[in-house]
Amino acid sequence: MDKQQILKDLSDAMVTCKKDNIMAAVEKAKAAGMPSEEIIDGLSAGMTAVGDQFERGKLFLPHVMMAATGMQAAVDSLNLGKTGGAATVKKVIINGTVEGDVHDIGKSIVSTMLQSSGFEVHDLGRDVPISKFIEAVKEYNADMVGLSALMTTTLNGQKDVIELLKANGLRDKVKVMVGGAPATTAWAKKIGADCYAENASEAVAQAKALLL
Ligand code: B12
């Protein structure tokens, strides 16, 4: 079976929102020798499609929650934390969804992928107060901060974290990576972030480029 077909099957399975279907598609992809990162890309595409259908009223909240649960189970089954470890130097990354925003599915995928690539990740969760990012940077002596925002109304939280890092004299010590649907490269530039990544694989590539 070709790669595109496997990716499509993963995405289609996610759109059914059924954990059994999702896990079966993951097992098939694994059996075909597909790397975990690509499997996650296929699942993420499906999760995005679930989101689109939710917006158009074709799927409802319970479907989205089921799909999210299935996604998490699938990602867990890949044992990324155990099999990864490409980085030779331990770099610390703080990741979280900014204050006022409870969307955490994509952010958690990013954390998992970073972790599986050998980074030490401290995921602060969702709806994280701005000051908590600063405290975490100090506490873990972080090399990078990842900031997720899924709503235009919470996007400014990314800017606020950067401003507070500056006010605390920490901005030169940490890289800042922003992400989430409303964020863009232009936005990252405007608020003085070091980079923007569109998805989890790109986040890993950017983190490697900036930190290793
Ligand atoms: C699922 C979902 C929810 C779930 C969230 C469950 C959860 N635990 O996350 C629930 C139902 C709780 C929810 C609630 C709300 N939601 Co909602 N939600 C979505 C939906 C359908 C999908 C988001 C998602 O998970 N996508 C799948 C993941 C895999 O993709 P992703 O999040 O984009 O993440 C990828 C990239 O963005 C990137 N990335 C993400 N984070 C990071 C971080 C870093 C550092 C980097 C580098 C990259 C990165 O990598 C990820 C992996 O590839 C979107 C619509 C959509 N199509 O996006 C609306 C959407 C985001 N929600 C929206 C809204 C308005 C709300 C509510 C206000 C609804 C309401 N009226 O109550 C509340 C928000 C409450 C709050 N205070 O936060 C709007 C936002 C509109 C806007 N532009 O401001 C959207 C766009 C829907 C819409 N068109 O109206 N929502």
Side-chain angles (χ1 to χ4, degrees):
M1 213 191 295
D2 72 304
K3 184 175 148 184
Q4 289 312 319
Q5 184 60 48
I6 299 173
L7 288 173
K8 185 176 180 302
D9 288 349
L10 285 163
S11 177
D12 289 349
M14 185 59 77
V15 176
T16 68
C17 304
K18 293 194 175 127
K19 191 174 148 191
D20 289 352
N21 294 349
I22 298 166
M23 297 306 279
V26 168
E27 286 311 318
K28 253 181 148 178
K30 275 197 219 169
M34 179 171 269
S36 300
E37 288 73 16
E38 288 180 13
I39 294 178
I40 290 179
D41 283 343
L43 295 173
S44 297
M47 194 64 221
T48 302
V50 168
D52 291 345
Q53 295 204 18
F54 174 65
E55 278 177 56
R56 284 188 274 124
K58 285 191 163 185
L59 290 175
F60 299 99
L61 186 55
H63 298 116
V64 176
M65 301 320 266
M66 274 165 61
T69 307
M71 171 107 200
Q72 196 54 56
V75 171
D76 288 348
S77 81
L78 295 171
N79 285 326
L80 287 168
K82 292 167 201 155
T83 56
T88 46
V89 188
K90 206 70 173 165
K91 294 285 179 178
V92 180
I93 304 180
I94 307 291
N95 197 24
T97 304
V98 298
E99 194 162 3
D101 198 324
V102 302
H103 298 90
D104 66 354
I105 299 169
K107 180 270 303 163
S108 299
I109 296 171
V110 170
S111 286
T112 305
M113 290 272 281
L114 286 170
Q115 210 155 13
S116 77
S117 304
F119 293 103
E120 180 181 322
V121 179
H122 297 275
D123 191 322
L124 305 182
R126 57 186 176 175
D127 190 12
V128 180
I130 305 304
S131 59
K132 230 179 154 195
F133 284 101
I134 313 304
E135 284 163 25
V137 166
K138 289 183 191 160
E139 183 180 349
Y140 300 112
N141 196 17
D143 299 290
M144 179 179 257
V145 182
L147 301 170
S148 182
L150 262 286
M151 299 192 291
T152 44
T153 47
T154 53
L155 200 54
N156 264 323
Q158 298 180 335
K159 181 167 159 271
D160 295 343
V161 173
I162 292 175
E163 294 305 325
L164 203 54
L165 282 171
K166 280 186 198 159
N168 280 269
L170 292 166
R171 181 63 188 95
D172 294 340
K173 296 192 177 78
V174 282
K175 303 289 182 197
V176 177
M177 174 160 68
V178 295
T184 58
T185 302
W187 167 252
K189 224 173 178 181
K190 188 174 168 192
I191 62 173
D194 294 286
C195 69
Y196 157 76
E198 193 183 353
N199 54 42
S201 325
E202 210 185 292
V204 170
Q206 294 278 17
K208 284 183 175 170
L210 286 167
L211 299 180
L212 302 183

